Structure formats: structure tokens, C-alpha cells
Amino acid sequence: MENLILVRLRDSGQVFYYNLSNFEVKENDYVIVEHDRGMDYGQVVSQKEEEADPKSKEAPKKITRKANDSDMKSIEDNRQKAREAFASCLKKIKEHNLDMKLVKAEYSFDRGKIVFYFTSPGRVDFRELVKDLAKIFKARIELRQIGVRDEARLFGGFGPCGRELCCAKFLKDFEPVTIKMAKEEGLPLNPPKISGLCGRLMCCLNFEYEAYKFLSKGLPHEGEHLHTPKGKGKVISVNVFKRNVVVLLEDGTQTNISYKDKDIKEQKE
């Protein structure tokens, strides 16, 4: 098995596995990589070494070197040129009267390719636009239609937890997120409370789901009735991490029951 690290291509691209080789890198370091018939740059998402997935059909890519001062100067120059390309593309979109919202433009490290990210409610025939842009910039042009989650990842930001958005920080792919996951965590099923900046269900619900399922094993649910040493009662609160529940007894008092103690066995009514 090869030792791999996760690298986000350019500032907003996809996350790929790259061979660690003999380079010493840490999280957030910039590296120069081989990608898509040319040289490009990326940022280390995770310095944790991982094993390649034997089921993956995608061959791990190579890191050429850790970015030096000269490389970082080129990257910053490319960002400035990308802003200029963004403005030019906006004008061409208006000229062609296309129903698309341009989100961002990015140059590859060797300036052989420009990627334009956009959103649109439907399919867009941008063939003539691509021809015009190729004539202007003398480079390969890629127009990539993205969804609202991708748009949030491109712009970044902070979630309700106060941390950087998972999609912008470390997620490799977007996995399906369901209401069932929110229920498992005991969250209020109120859209603003369980939605991210993109307006979709928060990505963290997905990768927290298995942990909640594991920690919830053997715990009663809110609303269940139990027989306790102090009498019958109804569960009104469950703390999954402490494995503790609060029961409202029939006499109006409350009692705490810890499920860390395996000797305590509550019989559900």
C-alpha cells in the first residue's frame, strides 16, 4: 500500500490523493503537483498519511515539490490574472445572453488552463463562449457547472459551530445527508437549525452519524417510559456522550440515570 495525503487542487478545486514520496509537508502547506497534462498547485488538506483505497480506479498523482517563495509569487500572480479573466468572462456571458452565474475563475500553475466555475438552473450551451475565451487567453478553457454546496465550498466561511466549513476545510466528496441523521443526533428538525450556508443539510451530520449510532446503543429515547429504582417515569433528556438520561417521575421529581454503569439495567415499559 502507498502512503498518501489529501491535497486540494488550486484554491477551489477537487481534493485528490497524492503520493507523499519523501517530502515533509504539514497541513495547509502549498505543493506543486503533476495534474491533467501539466503542472499545477494545491494545498495539503490533511497531513495524516492514508492508505490507498484498493477499490479506487483513480491512480494517485505525484507531488513534484513543496512550493517555494518563487512558486508562491507565481500563484499570487495567477490569482490576479484569474480576477481579470473573471471580468472578461462576465462580459462574454452577457454578450451571448447565457443563463449562468459566474462564480470564480482559476488559472493552473503553468497557466496552460483556466477553469471557470458557474451555477445555472439548467443546462447551458456554452460552446461559443468557450471558443471566444480560448481566443482571448490562448489557453485551454474549462467551464464547470457546480451546485450550491460547491459554491459554498469555493467561498468558504464558518458554520454555526464556529469552525471553518467542513467542505472548504477537508471534505473530499459530498456524501448524501438525510433528515434521519439529524433525528439520530436529537437535533430540532427546523431547517435553519440543521442547514449549512449553502441551504442544504449540514455535511457534518453525515460523518457524525455513525458515532452517534454507536454511542446511542442501549440508550432509551426521549418520550420512553422506564421503571427506575425510584419509580416509573418518562425520559425527558438524553446525553449521548455522557450516556446519561434524565427521567421525570410520576411524582413530578426528576432523576438522573447513568448508562456507563453496566450494573444498572432499566426495563422498558
Side-chain angles (χ1 to χ4, degrees):
M1 291 291 183
E2 297 172 295
N3 289 326
L4 310 171
I5 58 171
L6 285 174
V7 175
R8 185 178 301 284
L9 192 65
R10 297 183 298 277
D11 294 326
S12 311
Q14 294 174 288
V15 175
F16 294 96
Y17 283 111
Y18 282 84
N19 284 324
L20 184 59
S21 301
N22 296 320
F23 296 103
E24 291 187 6
V25 296
K26 59 181 183 296
E27 189 174 332
N28 296 323
D29 278 351
Y30 280 92
V31 290
I32 307 303
V33 301
E34 294 180 7
H35 190 88
D36 192 21
R37 296 179 292 169
M39 301 299 293
D40 220 324
Y41 72 93
Q43 191 172 23
V44 178
V45 174
S46 173
Q47 67 182 103
K48 179 182 177 182
E49 296 181 18
E50 304 187 24
E51 290 188 343
D53 183 356
K55 298 180 182 179
S56 176
K57 296 180 181 179
E58 180 183 312
K61 298 165 176 58
K62 295 181 180 179
I63 296 176
T64 302
R65 62 180 181 274
K66 183 177 176 181
N68 54 37
D69 290 343
S70 177
D71 293 330
M72 294 306 299
K73 175 66 167 57
S74 296
I75 290 172
E76 189 54 46
D77 289 343
N78 286 352
R79 288 170 178 158
Q80 177 57 42
K81 286 186 173 295
R83 287 190 281 270
E84 296 170 2
F86 183 93
S88 296
C89 187
L90 273 181
K91 292 179 181 178
K92 287 298 178 181
I93 288 173
K94 291 179 181 178
E95 287 179 15
H96 289 281
N97 194 29
L98 296 174
D99 185 15
M100 56 193 292
K101 173 190 172 185
L102 190 61
V103 176
K104 193 168 185 177
E106 282 187 330
Y107 266 93
S108 62
F109 181 72
D110 59 9
R111 298 184 186 175
K113 176 181 177 180
I114 314 175
V115 182
F116 294 95
Y117 300 91
F118 72 95
T119 61
S120 176
R123 293 179 63 86
V124 180
D125 184 355
F126 47 67
R127 288 174 292 183
E128 294 303 317
L129 174 63
V130 170
K131 291 178 182 177
D132 286 353
L133 295 175
K135 290 178 182 177
I136 295 172
F137 299 109
K138 309 298 181 185
R140 288 186 294 128
I141 304 296
E142 179 181 341
L143 270 80
R144 185 177 298 173
Q145 186 169 357
I146 61 175
V148 290
R149 287 190 171 186
D150 296 287
E151 187 175 5
R153 181 178 69 183
L154 289 176
F155 286 108
F158 295 88
C161 59
R163 299 175 66 89
E164 188 176 351
L165 295 180
C166 300
C167 59
K169 184 65 176 176
F170 64 87
L171 286 186
K172 185 177 187 293
D173 298 302
F174 290 113
E175 300 290 343
V177 185
T178 65
I179 287 292
K180 180 182 178 181
M181 296 173 181
K183 289 181 179 178
E184 191 72 39
E185 295 191 26
L187 297 174
L189 302 183
N190 183 355
K193 297 288 186 181
I194 57 177
S195 299
L197 296 184
C198 60
R200 300 289 194 269
L201 291 173
M202 293 187 293
C203 293
C204 57
L205 296 176
N206 178 281
F207 58 79
E208 292 173 352
Y209 180 58
E210 290 302 322
Y212 270 88
K213 279 179 62 179
F214 176 77
L215 294 173
S216 297
K217 287 181 179 178
L219 294 179
H221 299 287
E222 286 189 24
E224 289 190 17
H225 290 80
L226 303 178
H227 287 287
T228 78
K230 295 183 180 180
K232 291 174 61 177
K234 179 181 178 181
V235 177
I236 60 172
S237 176
V238 179
N239 189 314
V240 173
F241 296 105
K242 292 184 178 180
R243 291 188 60 77
N244 180 80
V245 301
V246 179
V247 178
L248 178 64
L249 301 175
E250 292 181 335
D251 62 5
T253 61
Q254 298 180 7
T255 183
N256 292 308
I257 301 176
S258 174
Y259 280 77
K260 288 183 178 179
D261 187 347
K262 295 182 180 180
D263 293 334
I264 296 178
K265 296 180 180 179
E266 300 301 335
Q267 181 182 353
K268 296 181 181 179
E269 197 174 49

